[in-house]
Amino acid sequence: MVSNQQSTAVAYANLAFIKYWGKADATLNLPLNNSISMNLSAAKTTTTVTFDATLKQDIVTIDGQPSQSNFSQRVSQQLDRVRLLAKQPQLYALVDTHNAFPMGAGFASSASGMAALSLAATSALTLQLTKVELSALARRGSGSACRSIPAGFVEWLAGDNDTNSHAIQLAPPNHWDIADVAVVVSQAEKKVSSTLGHKLVEQSHFLQTRLAHLPNRLDRLRQALLDQDFETFGQETEAEAITLHALAMTSPHQTGTAWQSGIYYWTPDTLELLLAVQSWRADGLPVYFTLDAGPTVHLLCPADKVTAITEAVTMIARQQPNRHWDMLVSYPAIGAHLID
Ligand code: PMV
């Protein structure tokens, strides 16, 4: 009987420039389209997995606290997939996860968490997975987690089955000196999860239009990234983010018994910041925004403009008393890896 097999892995959450929004297969987490992202250096998750033959079930702790949350159920389901691969169906694990960034900051902790978990768990059971296989496995835990496996700038190839839907590296982290200043304008938990958002988008009349335009956008953005053409890259990224939110705002649904015409992930502060970005750009500052399914605004800029951007954000934040916006600055980060 195997006992006390342990590994620790680190992975970073990623920020999508071309978004994953809508699933072709909800069980396998196959996306409707390719997406392109960058790993975020400030969004680090460290996970230790210890398989222990004396355990009767998995035990998950987040930052040292026992967790019974939806995330810990998803951890167990992901461990089930690893147990199946290792042909060890009854071998349970202690999973200890630490996020180096605040929960609710608008970073996809499920991406870094599932990527680190998949690497630590497969390594603890000495499974020899290629990067592609590991990325596909991480995808099952959380779609965007597959993009946190390769380093730097990454494309998730949508594929059409469990093995060919995975991420690949487009360029290493040192390819381009750009930064993401994430401005956390609200800590409130979002009302509609991204899991539900992926489903509700099927109701949006604009989904087919977006999908028809995406191959061109993917080509333009990928090329701009490879050419370090910040202007084209920024324009495509920002237009794509607005498209995602236009789809969300045209995804009708119910909250309880009440009908809602769409999902609003923005708060008034979000919109204030988006308008500010437009005026900063008109004043000559090279900055573009993107947003995931939440109110956090990600400001993308050349790395040497980070101070100018953080100062501009601070000025606006101070215009309202009692307003507190947190900022987290990230640079392109490495991929998932094991540590001692
Ligand atoms: O991986 P999920 O199911 O949390 O979906 C992520 C969805 C977005 O963050 C909005 C877009 C993306 O590509 O990361």
Side-chain angles (χ1 to χ4, degrees), residues 14-16 18-21 23 35 74 108 110 142-145 147 194-195 198 244 291-293:
N14 61 77
L15 176 66
I18 302 276
K19 308 291 184 183
Y20 154 49
W21 200 238
K23 301 186 189 195
S35 50
R74 288 169 64 187
S110 62
S142 169
S144 54
R147 297 190 308 237
S194 53
T195 306
H198 284 294
L244 168 95
L291 309 106
D292 283 336

Side-chain angles (χ1 to χ4, degrees), residues 18-35 139 143-144 147 156 158-159 165 193-204 207-208 210-211 214 240 243-244 247-248 251 263 265 293:
I18 302 276
K19 308 291 184 183
Y20 154 49
W21 200 238
K23 301 186 189 195
D25 183 319
T27 308
L28 295 178
N29 278 344
L30 301 182
L32 289 177
N33 57 273
N34 285 22
S35 50
R139 188 202 76 238
S144 54
R147 297 190 308 237
W156 174 5
S165 183
S193 68
S194 53
T195 306
L196 189 52
H198 284 294
K199 174 103 197 90
L200 295 175
V201 73
E202 291 162 19
Q203 304 300 318
S204 171
L207 178 60
Q208 293 313 321
R210 171 171 190 261
L211 293 175
L214 258 184
E240 161 65 2
T243 308
L244 168 95
L247 288 177
S251 296
I263 314 164
Y265 287 115

Side-chain angles (χ1 to χ4, degrees), residues 8-9 13 15 23 42 59 62 78 94 97 107 111 128 141 156-157 162 168 177 213 256 287 319:
T8 300
L15 176 66
K23 301 186 189 195
I59 299 171
I62 300 177
Q78 185 69 347
L94 188 63
T97 280
F107 288 155
Q128 307 286 333
W156 174 5
L157 310 174
D162 197 16
I168 56 164
D177 270 348
H213 283 93
V287 54
Q319 281 168 8

Side-chain angles (χ1 to χ4, degrees), residues 58-139:
D58 297 317
I59 299 171
V60 180
T61 62
I62 300 177
D63 296 324
Q65 301 298 318
S67 163
Q68 310 288 336
S69 64
N70 171 269
F71 180 72
S72 61
Q73 277 175 28
R74 288 169 64 187
V75 166
S76 265
Q77 288 163 358
Q78 185 69 347
L79 289 175
D80 286 343
R81 296 179 188 110
V82 175
R83 284 187 272 262
L84 196 70
L85 286 174
K87 301 190 177 64
Q88 301 262 22
Q90 304 296 337
L91 185 58
Y92 297 104
L94 188 63
V95 175
D96 186 27
T97 280
H98 291 270
N99 291 322
F101 52 98
M103 297 293 263
F107 288 155
S109 57
S110 62
S112 49
M114 284 297 168
L117 173 73
S118 304
L119 178 56
T122 51
S123 154
L125 293 183
T126 60
L127 289 164
Q128 307 286 333
L129 265 61
T130 63
K131 269 233 166 87
V132 160
E133 289 166 339
L134 187 63
S135 174
L137 174 66
R139 188 202 76 238

Side-chain angles (χ1 to χ4, degrees), residues 22 25 59 68 189 220 270 309 323:
D25 183 319
I59 299 171
Q68 310 288 336
E189 207 181 319
R220 282 196 299 269
T270 308
I309 304 278
R323 178 152 74 183

